């Protein structure tokens, strides 16, 4: 029951055609047709909003949109997924139906395919080369991870014998990390399994376990290490399963950002003073490079390059790689999410996408 409750918390927290044809025949029905920002949104409900290379991706309850950095609607396609979730690399987008059976891959170069899985999808990722990893439930196993090439060819399938899969990370060189949660002697036990998909079925699987910790995210960084963010600490793990560094919190984690290849941000708060948040930045070695205390509600945290952007109830705070405050930009109270391309911050608010400071 404890694990089931934590998994509910975990899920609540997080969980093309030719371009010329898209521009000519797929003009947005749920967004304004004019290029530029602000971009007005109508009808459907935004669920996810992130950067994909030099573009913005937004998934709603009925469509997936791709916008250029200048505000041009490049992609507008309907979907029928009940719980649509996407994961993007710099060039491709994996859209899957969490709890359903279907996923699709789209790219601005026109390559696109869709596949129906025999079992329910738990999560999925795609790397820069278009290779896809999809975790599903199984009848005779705790779960499985299936790997597909960029040509939609199954490469191999790995089965989990105990626990429940909660996350995946797939590096461009084929290194795969599978995060799982289980229990041992009445305590929560989280495990990360590491393997390389280039070995096919002949896998040499390494693993590392964390007692009394729930893994919130695990993502490969630019130096090849795996950054594991848990509810009690953040750990840096080698591909052979060795823990290289750990950063213990001593407080409650309320938010994080690990998309950047060089830095990871965690936001911590005290149960005594829940309105006070400490944003901590860690490098790829697990070393703290700086921190900053914020006395406001934090809605979103984004690390981009060597900068940290934090969306509060009234402004966007920008920090450098040592958490020195370098810029403050007022925002409307309905600002909900942000995405950063270069030095431009895009804001998803009520009914529109806008640019910070414009």
């Amino acid at each position: 029951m404890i694990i089931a409750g934590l998994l509910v918390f975990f899920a609540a927290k997080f969980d093309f055609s030719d371009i010329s044809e898209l521009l000519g025949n797929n003009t947005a029905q749920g967004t304004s047709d004019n290029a530029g920002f602000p971009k007005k949104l109508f009808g459907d409900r935004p669920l996810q909003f992130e950067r994909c290379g030099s573009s913005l991706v937004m998934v709603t309850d009925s469509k997936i949109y791709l916008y250029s950095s200048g505000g041009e609607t490049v992609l507008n396609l309907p979907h029928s997924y009940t719980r649509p979730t996407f994961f993007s690399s710099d060039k491709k987008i994996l859209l899957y139906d969490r709890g359903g059976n279907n996923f699709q891959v789209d790219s601005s170069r026109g390559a696109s395919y869709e596949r129906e899985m025999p079992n329910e999808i738990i999560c999925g990722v795609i790397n820069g080369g278009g290779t896809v990893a999809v975790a599903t439930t199984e009848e005779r196993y705790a779960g499985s991870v299936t790997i597909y090439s960029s040509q939609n060819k199954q490469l191999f399938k790995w089965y989990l014998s105990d626990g429940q899969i909660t996350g995946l990370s797939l590096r461009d060189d084929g290194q795969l990390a599978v995060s799982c949660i289980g229990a041992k002697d009445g305590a929560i036990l989280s495990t990360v399994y590491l393997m390389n998909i280039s070995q096919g079925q002949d896998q040499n699987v390494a693993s590392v376990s964390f007692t009394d910790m729930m893994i919130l995210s695990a993502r490969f960084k630019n130096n090849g290490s795996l950054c594991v963010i848990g509810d009690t600490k953040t750990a840096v793990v080698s591909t052979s399963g060795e823990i290289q560094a750990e950063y213990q919190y001593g407080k409650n984690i309320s938010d994080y950002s690990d998309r950047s290849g060089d830095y990871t941000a965690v936001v911590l708060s005290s149960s005594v003073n829940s309105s006070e948040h400490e944003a901590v930045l860690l490098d790829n070695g697990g070393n703290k490079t700086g921190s900053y205390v914020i006395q406001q509600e934090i809605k979103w945290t984004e690390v981009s390059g060597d900068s940290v952007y934090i969306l509060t109830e009234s402004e966007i705070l920008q920090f450098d790689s040592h958490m020195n405050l370098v810029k403050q930009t007022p925002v409307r109270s309905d600002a909900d999410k942000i995405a950063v391309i270069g030095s431009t911050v895009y804001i998803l608010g009520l009914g529109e996408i806008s640019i910070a400071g414009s």
Side-chain angles (χ1 to χ4, degrees):
M1 292 298 294
I2 295 176
I3 293 175
L6 286 170
L7 288 173
V8 169
F9 168 81
F10 177 86
K13 166 68 181 169
F14 303 110
D15 250 272
F16 299 173
S17 304
D18 182 78
I19 287 296
S20 61
E21 293 183 11
L22 289 173
L23 294 177
N25 301 324
N26 288 281
T27 303
Q29 295 283 326
T31 181
S32 61
D33 298 340
N34 297 328
F37 293 98
K39 177 74 64 178
K40 297 296 181 181
L41 309 175
F42 306 102
D44 42 9
R45 179 169 57 94
L47 301 175
Q48 276 184 275
F49 177 70
E50 293 180 11
R51 176 187 65 83
C52 175
S54 59
S55 303
L56 294 170
V57 182
M58 182 178 69
V59 168
T60 73
D61 53 356
S62 61
K63 290 183 178 181
I64 178 171
Y65 297 98
L66 181 66
Y67 303 109
S68 72
S69 58
E72 187 175 37
T73 304
V74 178
L75 174 68
N76 172 11
L77 291 177
H79 66 75
S80 58
Y81 295 169
T82 303
R83 301 176 73 185
T85 308
F86 80 81
F87 186 96
S88 64
S89 66
D90 280 345
K91 296 181 180 179
K92 298 192 177 185
I93 304 165
L94 170 69
L95 179 67
Y96 60 92
D97 193 6
R98 187 157 58 93
N101 299 87
N102 294 83
F103 74 84
Q104 67 186 56
V105 175
D106 300 302
S107 80
S108 59
R109 293 179 301 193
S112 176
Y113 68 84
E114 185 170 8
R115 179 180 279 267
E116 182 176 358
M117 304 295 289
N119 298 303
E120 292 182 359
I121 297 175
I122 301 170
C123 57
V125 292
I126 187 170
N127 69 10
T131 303
V132 171
V134 178
T136 62
T137 59
E138 291 286 339
E139 292 184 3
R140 299 184 180 181
Y141 294 89
S144 68
V145 179
T146 310
I147 308 297
Y148 298 97
S149 70
S150 57
Q151 288 77 40
N152 193 18
K153 178 182 177 181
Q154 181 174 320
L155 300 178
F156 80 94
K157 191 171 186 176
W158 178 81
Y159 293 91
L160 176 69
S161 59
D162 187 38
Q164 184 170 337
I165 298 172
T166 58
L168 300 170
S169 184
L170 182 60
R171 214 165 61 181
D172 287 356
D173 65 358
Q175 194 70 31
L176 171 69
V178 184
S179 305
C180 307
I181 190 170
K184 184 178 181 180
D185 300 329
I188 294 172
L189 182 68
S190 292
T191 303
V192 179
Y193 296 93
L194 296 133
M195 63 198 83
N196 198 301
I197 64 173
S198 63
Q199 298 175 357
Q201 293 296 149
D202 300 324
Q203 285 297 316
N204 180 21
V205 181
S207 66
V208 57
S209 295
F210 301 91
T211 304
D212 287 329
M213 186 185 91
M214 183 178 68
I215 296 175
L216 303 176
S217 177
R219 189 183 289 264
F220 287 109
K221 311 299 279 187
N222 282 345
N223 66 348
S225 64
L226 183 75
C227 179
V228 180
I229 300 177
D231 60 342
T232 59
K233 62 185 175 184
T234 290
V236 177
V237 178
S238 70
T239 54
S240 60
E242 298 176 351
I243 298 177
Q244 299 173 318
E246 291 183 331
Y247 181 80
Q248 303 277 350
Y249 303 147
K251 296 180 181 180
N252 302 317
I253 183 170
S254 57
D255 200 10
Y256 63 83
S257 175
D258 59 353
R259 272 189 64 112
S260 167
D262 295 312
Y263 295 96
T264 297
V266 292
V267 177
L268 309 173
S269 60
S270 170
S271 57
V272 178
N273 184 5
S274 58
S275 63
E276 181 178 282
H277 302 274
E278 181 187 12
V280 179
L281 191 64
L282 307 173
D283 64 17
N284 285 347
N287 304 301
K288 177 180 174 181
T289 65
S291 65
Y292 193 91
V293 175
I294 300 170
Q295 302 282 354
Q296 296 186 68
E297 175 192 352
I298 293 179
K299 296 183 176 181
W300 198 263
T301 305
E302 188 84 3
V303 181
S304 179
D306 57 359
S307 296
V308 182
Y309 301 82
I310 295 179
L311 172 65
T312 74
E313 52 197 336
S314 62
E315 60 187 347
I316 296 173
L317 305 175
Q318 181 182 346
F319 303 88
D320 64 16
S321 58
H322 296 284
M323 292 304 293
N324 297 308
L325 182 62
V326 296
K327 189 175 182 180
Q328 295 174 264
T329 306
V331 296
R332 292 178 0 190
S333 60
D334 65 321
D336 185 50
K337 298 177 176 66
I338 59 174
V340 183
I341 299 177
S343 59
T344 304
V345 183
Y346 299 85
I347 304 169
L348 176 64
L350 185 61
E352 71 173 26
I353 301 172
S354 60
I355 293 177
S358 63

